[in-house]
Amino acid sequence: MLNTPIAPWRWIAAALIWIVTACGAAAQDGTGFFEIETLNEGLGDPPDGLDRATPQSSMEALLDLVEAGEREAAAHLLDLSDIPPQEQPRRGPRLAADLVQVLDRKAVINWSELLERPDSLEARGSSDNPVAGQPQRSILIDLVDLPGRPVAIRLNRLKPANGDPVWVFSRQTVANIPEMHALYGPSWLEEELPDSWRTEVAWGLMWWELVGLPIMFALAGLAGWLTGRAQAAVAHLVRSRSLTDILRATRMPIILAVMTGAVMLITDAIFVFSGRIDTVLTPLIAVGFTAAAVIFVLNGVDAVLNRIVPFDDDQLFDASMENRRNLATRLAAGRRILIVLITLIGGGIVLAEANLTGALGISFLASAGALTLLLGFAARHILGNILSSLQIAMNRSAKIGDTVLFRDYWCNVERINFTYVQLRSWTGARIVVPVSEFVTEPFENWTMREPSIIRKVELRLAHDADVTALRDAFYEFVDSGEIEGLGDRDSHMVLTTGHDVFGKTVTFCTACADANGSWTASCSMREKLLERMAELEHRGQTMFPQANPAESA
């Protein structure tokens, strides 16, 4: 066998591969922890039984040691690098106890992320997880709101020069403990309670929380009731219509804002509840303020719109109010669009306040797909009606104040709401029609282009009845002016439109200048024509069909 010399480029390639592999391994080892010179040198050596090897063991040790009263040992679970060594034995135990209270009251610990591995490597994570298959050296426990900014509570993996890597709470977290505890630590009222009231009884809650929660809601309800009574007293004394409208528009949102503010004040100053309750109360407070703002804006907009265009004003039905009807329809459509925008903005605020990075938020997002499908299926008719109402506003097929004939109902369009159209018939009765049905079924709009309309008055006459006599009588009534709302004489017509064994049908086309009064005018015309037919019949002229009831049936 011949000894073939290895090409120089192969040596170079092998060397490069070895260097890259070695550098990658070194980089991987280096990303598993933060290297520091010393860790808590002022505390001395940690107790022998203290386990800080994994994130889960460090968290468990902190909670167990503080509950057992061993605060000095719990101090070893904090990175006290920013505290002078001589002060660490005095401040460390207190900071550890304060951190546990902040965790209990404000944070929601996601134990599934605190792995029982020194490198906290998620070996079974999905490919969508950005840290799956990688060692971690810092884990976010939760975000806590401080004035002007949120701060993180983190566990870091530190390796002192003379020891093994351990998981402790970061020095940035330790620096923020005093401010977090000042906001979310026990209130003055809780400090005065006996120890028996501060023991856990169920679901990790203390006795005072189970009692304080209904008391808080009762106080918030009392504050809302007193606010409503005060507004009612002021409204009774006010004589100005403008002030009365303002009080009426702001009554509900102010009551809701006062109740929500009372809950927020009580949770901040009197009852600082644990994280399990706070996780629910914080979004509820955001919902309360958002709902108050939405109602306040909508009521204010309604008050302004009613000042500009009174929607209940009968003048909108007048034929000369075409521009006013267009304005009323546009304003109503703008109001609906404003409702959608405010609801979306409010929903965004609520989701932001709900802290979706926590365990509760992750669970919410995990079920959001199924929940969206369920809500979408349940609310498909409502969403269809909302889109249909916007469709009416854009194509202006029916405007507020228009006169329409819908399902044989002669009525005026009074309001176009999100989910229904409110029609007012000539009797004053209100007809409520779902918007989706209103836009899909044909209807007659008598004032869509112009206010004038021709109404038909159909009469059944005998075979030998004199139509000319009735035609003359018809134009006589038109010229007399006794019937109000009729149009030009040339627009009226009399036509024989049908014939059968019982007689002939004559249609008197009555031209009306205004569709709103056309029905009354046509009824008056029918009445006068029947009276004239009775007169002619009395004179010996045959006018009415000669048919007995059995034949008519």
Side-chain angles (χ1 to χ4, degrees), residues 216-279:
M216 178 190 69
F217 287 120
L219 292 176
L222 178 61
W225 181 78
L226 292 175
T227 303
R229 296 289 295 178
Q231 283 186 307
V234 173
H236 182 71
L237 297 175
V238 170
R239 294 292 181 266
S240 173
R241 179 183 174 185
S242 299
L243 291 178
T244 303
D245 292 341
I246 292 174
L247 289 174
R248 185 182 297 111
T250 58
R251 177 181 175 82
M252 181 56 67
I254 288 179
I255 291 176
L256 185 58
V258 168
M259 294 176 63
T260 307
V263 171
M264 185 179 68
L265 180 62
I266 293 173
T267 55
D268 288 342
I270 301 177
F271 298 134
V272 182
F273 292 99
S274 62
R276 294 172 180 83
I277 298 178
D278 184 76
T279 302

Side-chain angles (χ1 to χ4, degrees), residues 461-514:
L461 306 181
H463 292 288
D464 55 347
D466 185 6
V467 178
T468 303
L470 281 183
R471 181 179 288 109
D472 295 339
F474 173 74
Y475 283 104
E476 176 187 342
F477 299 144
V478 171
D479 296 335
S480 66
E482 297 180 8
I483 301 176
E484 297 181 358
L486 298 182
D488 297 335
R489 191 179 194 278
D490 295 338
S491 301
H492 299 271
M493 292 180 292
V494 179
L495 304 170
T496 301
T497 56
H499 178 267
D500 55 23
V501 296
F502 300 107
K504 52 189 175 185
T505 302
V506 179
T507 301
F508 299 86
C509 300
T510 307
C512 302
D514 184 4

Side-chain angles (χ1 to χ4, degrees), residues 276-355:
R276 294 172 180 83
I277 298 178
D278 184 76
T279 302
V280 178
L281 282 181
T282 299
L284 286 181
I285 291 173
V287 169
F289 282 123
T290 303
V294 170
I295 297 174
F296 181 83
V297 171
L298 293 182
N299 288 353
V301 169
D302 284 343
V304 173
L305 293 184
N306 284 330
R307 286 287 183 178
I308 299 174
V309 180
F311 290 90
D312 298 329
D313 190 356
D314 291 341
Q315 292 182 357
L316 285 177
F317 306 146
D318 194 338
S320 61
M321 291 294 175
E322 176 69 17
N323 294 332
R324 199 172 183 85
R325 289 200 297 271
N326 287 330
L327 177 61
T329 305
R330 292 192 187 99
L331 291 177
R335 177 184 179 275
R336 294 194 294 275
I337 295 174
L338 182 63
I339 291 175
V340 174
L341 292 178
I342 293 177
T343 303
L344 292 176
I345 294 173
I349 294 174
V350 172
L351 292 177
E353 291 294 328
N355 190 13

Side-chain angles (χ1 to χ4, degrees), residues 96-106 181 184-186 191:
D98 291 348
L99 177 59
V100 170
Q101 289 184 333
V102 172
L103 290 173
D104 286 341
R105 296 168 185 273
K106 197 60 183 175
H181 187 265
Y184 306 113
E191 294 287 356

Side-chain angles (χ1 to χ4, degrees), residues 352-430:
E353 291 294 328
N355 190 13
L356 294 180
T357 58
L360 181 64
I362 293 175
S363 300
F364 175 79
L365 290 177
S367 59
L371 182 62
T372 301
L373 291 176
L374 180 62
L375 292 178
F377 180 79
R380 65 189 187 280
H381 294 300
I382 298 176
L383 296 176
N385 283 325
I386 292 175
L387 294 177
S388 298
S389 68
L390 296 178
Q391 175 186 346
I392 294 176
M394 289 186 291
N395 60 26
R396 290 188 291 176
S397 58
K399 302 182 293 296
I400 295 175
D402 279 359
T403 303
V404 298
L405 183 66
F406 181 78
R407 294 178 180 173
D408 294 331
Y409 287 103
W410 172 62
C411 47
N412 297 103
V413 179
E414 197 168 38
R415 285 184 180 273
I416 303 174
N417 294 298
F418 258 125
T419 57
Y420 66 92
V421 176
Q422 180 176 313
L423 308 175
R424 189 177 75 174
S425 69
W426 67 275
T427 61
R430 266 63 179 183

